[in-house]
Amino acid sequence: MRMYDIIEKKRDGKELTEEEIYFFITGYTKGDIPDYQVSALMMAIYFQDMNEKERATLTKAMVESGDQIDLSPISGIKVDKHSTGGVGDTTTLVLAPLVASVGAPVAKMSGRGLGHTGGTIDKLESVPGFHTEISNEEFIDLVNKNKVSVIGQTGNLTPADKKLYSLRDVTATVNSIPLIASSIMSKKIASGADAIVLDVKTGAGAFMKEIDDAKELAKAMVSIGNQVGRNTMAVISDMSQPLGFAIGNSLEVKEAIDTLQGKGPKDLTELCLVLGSQMVVLAEKASSIEEARSMLEENIANGKAYEHFKTFLASQGGDPSVIDNTDLLPKANKQIDITAEQSGAVQTIIADQIGTAAMMLGAGRATKESEIDLSAGILLHKKVGDSVQVGELLLTLHTNIEHVEPVIDLIKSSIIISKDMVEAPKLIYGTITE
């Protein structure tokens, strides 16, 4: 078998066989196939696409290129959630303890962030003492005991994906549905969950800016998951403006605590209930979405979800007193208020620009080597559709940097106030199950 023939076949729009896909993934991972040939194949896939069978096979080959996490010692149906990314996306911090509080096991493997804010692990490390460097045995024991644990990603999980992504990044082939879908799903499948709920974002702060593109990606990922034996569904949600009010690591932890106490932002709370209900049903802890939602709402109201978050943090070395006293979380030295310069209604909050501003304040990483400031970030006081008066508070910057003028300029260009009434954007655009 020759790589040349595989490139030529896909260039001409023909279906690749399972043997051909495994040949190129295995060979490239081992270093037997050069970058220039794989680049040519990626470009051929970009233009000619792949069918459902090819996409599933590509994903399986990527999964089998490295380690796979065995969660079989954990009792019950293990359910995971993945978001395609956004600004102020605090859902995992809320969902993990909330879903676990009704008995659904959440064995979560997460990473650090690159971009707007830290990843789930960075955010959790805002809690003094919390750590994710635990053995697989301890991880499994904690999930069996508490129904929830979060660890860092292993070094050899889907090495084929890491190599392919680096290549796609420099060959203008990132925006390809089969390549995006297989990349995301290979990591989720290798992480060992039995069922997967996908939160596919759309809007200015999302990877997929248009709803139709988000739906296409969601359908591709759901198809892959179900073909390889993982019960998978997707929710299409809005990211035209930041989710919730908090953007930044310790700020998002505080917002998650508020949400678990029933005092969180309406949009974050609603999205967590929508995603959480799907997770509970897939874990077979409820027979309907309505029943699952009722269970989650009850555990927020009676405090069980909040207490479960405490238990989860303490089990991995975190100081649970932080949950009762959020003043113990990292705090920035400076809080700078930005107020409205005219009256009206908030028409637009450009999510990706607000995210960039948060990163400039220190909340995120511009490169993998960047140091992250767990106390930095932005706290919104208004959302799209809210009325506002001249001089009224729009948002507050939390930072330790000296020169904030470029950040303030960026933020002012990111928020548009209209004299007319403005409707709040739709939060959920639909669900995809097959």
Side-chain angles (χ1 to χ4, degrees):
M1 190 175 292
R2 297 190 309 164
M3 190 63 181
Y4 177 94
D5 298 321
I6 295 172
I7 296 168
E8 183 180 50
K9 188 175 181 181
K10 180 47 67 177
R11 181 201 67 189
D12 295 340
K14 297 175 183 176
E15 178 182 341
L16 299 182
T17 66
E18 182 174 332
E19 292 75 20
E20 288 166 335
I21 292 171
Y22 269 85
F23 174 83
F24 103 75
I25 287 293
T26 303
Y28 186 53
T29 304
K30 289 180 178 179
D32 297 336
I33 298 173
D35 280 351
Y36 61 82
Q37 285 192 308
V38 177
S39 297
L41 181 59
M42 294 299 98
M43 191 61 76
I45 291 171
Y46 181 90
F47 283 111
Q48 295 290 2
D49 206 342
M50 291 180 122
N51 62 30
E52 290 190 352
K53 183 180 176 182
E54 287 177 295
R55 293 174 180 184
T57 301
L58 176 60
T59 305
K60 286 191 291 182
M62 290 163 67
V63 169
E64 293 170 18
S65 70
D67 294 340
Q68 297 180 60
I69 308 302
D70 180 13
L71 299 182
S72 60
I74 298 172
S75 59
I77 298 172
K78 281 72 69 179
V79 62
D80 197 0
K81 186 275 304 181
H82 175 79
S83 168
T84 56
V87 182
D89 190 356
T90 315
T91 50
T92 295
L93 300 182
V94 178
L95 280 171
L98 176 59
V99 171
S101 74
V102 301
V106 182
K108 186 78 178 159
M109 184 172 286
S110 295
R112 299 191 181 278
L114 180 62
H116 305 137
T117 60
T120 297
I121 288 177
D122 297 302
K123 294 170 187 178
L124 288 168
E125 286 180 351
S126 299
V127 177
F130 185 89
H131 63 275
T132 56
E133 294 78 19
I134 59 178
S135 67
N136 282 345
E137 291 76 15
E138 186 179 357
F139 175 60
I140 288 167
D141 287 344
L142 285 174
V143 180
N144 275 325
K145 180 181 177 183
N146 301 324
K147 298 300 180 187
V148 60
S149 181
V150 176
I151 62 169
Q153 293 176 346
T154 67
N156 197 39
L157 205 71
T158 62
D161 175 58
K162 293 181 179 70
K163 291 192 71 173
L164 286 174
Y165 191 86
S166 297
L167 197 61
R168 288 165 53 211
D169 200 34
V170 295
T171 57
T173 54
V174 169
N175 292 325
S176 164
I177 293 293
L179 299 180
I180 298 168
S182 59
S183 175
I184 292 172
M185 292 304 294
S186 65
K187 291 189 283 286
K188 289 290 101 182
I189 292 162
S191 298
D194 302 311
I196 303 166
V197 172
L198 301 164
D199 179 14
V200 182
K201 305 289 191 184
T202 185
F207 185 68
M208 292 300 185
K209 309 294 184 188
E210 303 298 328
I211 293 173
D212 288 345
D213 293 336
K215 287 181 178 178
E216 187 181 354
L217 176 60
K219 288 177 181 177
M221 292 192 292
V222 168
S223 173
I224 288 170
N226 289 330
Q227 283 190 77
V228 301
R230 308 299 169 93
N231 199 350
T232 307
M233 67 80 57
V235 173
I236 313 293
S237 69
D238 179 67
M239 189 46 74
S240 61
Q241 65 174 332
L243 182 65
F245 294 114
I247 304 110
N249 301 280
S250 64
L251 296 174
E252 290 186 44
V253 171
K254 184 180 185 305
E255 186 165 81
I257 293 166
D258 290 342
T259 304
L260 287 165
Q261 291 179 302
K263 301 180 294 186
K266 288 181 180 179
D267 57 347
L268 175 60
T269 300
E270 177 62 20
L271 182 57
C272 287
L273 289 171
V274 169
L275 295 171
S277 298
Q278 297 287 352
M279 293 171 74
V280 171
V281 170
L282 292 186
E284 297 183 1
K285 294 299 177 181
S287 58
S288 69
I289 294 297
E290 293 75 21
E291 181 189 0
R293 183 179 178 113
S294 177
M295 292 165 66
L296 296 174
E297 289 175 333
E298 183 180 349
N299 277 14
I300 291 174
N302 63 25
K304 284 185 180 179
Y306 173 72
E307 291 299 325
H308 220 87
F309 193 34
K310 277 190 189 178
T311 301
F312 158 55
L313 292 177
S315 71
Q316 293 187 220
D319 180 0
S321 65
V322 168
I323 308 304
D324 293 322
N325 182 10
T326 55
D327 287 339
L328 298 174
L329 289 166
K331 275 189 172 181
N333 293 326
K334 291 190 288 187
Q335 286 81 46
I336 301 166
D337 292 337
I338 295 180
T339 57
E341 296 177 349
Q342 68 180 77
S343 297
V346 179
Q347 176 181 307
T348 305
I349 303 176
I350 305 173
D352 51 354
Q353 291 188 190
I354 295 293
T356 299
M359 183 177 69
M360 291 167 67
L361 293 172
R365 295 182 179 90
T367 69
K368 290 180 181 178
E369 292 73 33
S370 300
E371 289 288 327
I372 202 165
D373 182 349
L374 296 173
S375 68
I378 297 170
L379 196 62
L380 299 174
H381 301 290
K382 295 289 183 178
K383 299 293 290 279
V384 172
D386 290 348
S387 60
V388 61
Q389 300 298 316
V390 171
E392 195 173 358
L393 195 57
L394 289 176
L395 51 81
T396 302
L397 311 183
H398 293 247
T399 188
N400 295 304
I401 66 171
E402 290 299 319
H403 304 292
V404 297
E405 290 78 11
V407 181
I408 292 173
D409 289 342
L410 178 59
I411 284 174
K412 285 184 175 180
S413 71
S414 305
I415 300 178
I416 299 170
I417 296 174
S418 168
K419 293 180 180 179
D420 301 319
M421 294 298 294
V422 178
E423 282 190 20
K426 194 173 182 178
L427 179 64
I428 306 295
Y429 290 101
T431 58
I432 292 171
T433 55
E434 58 183 41

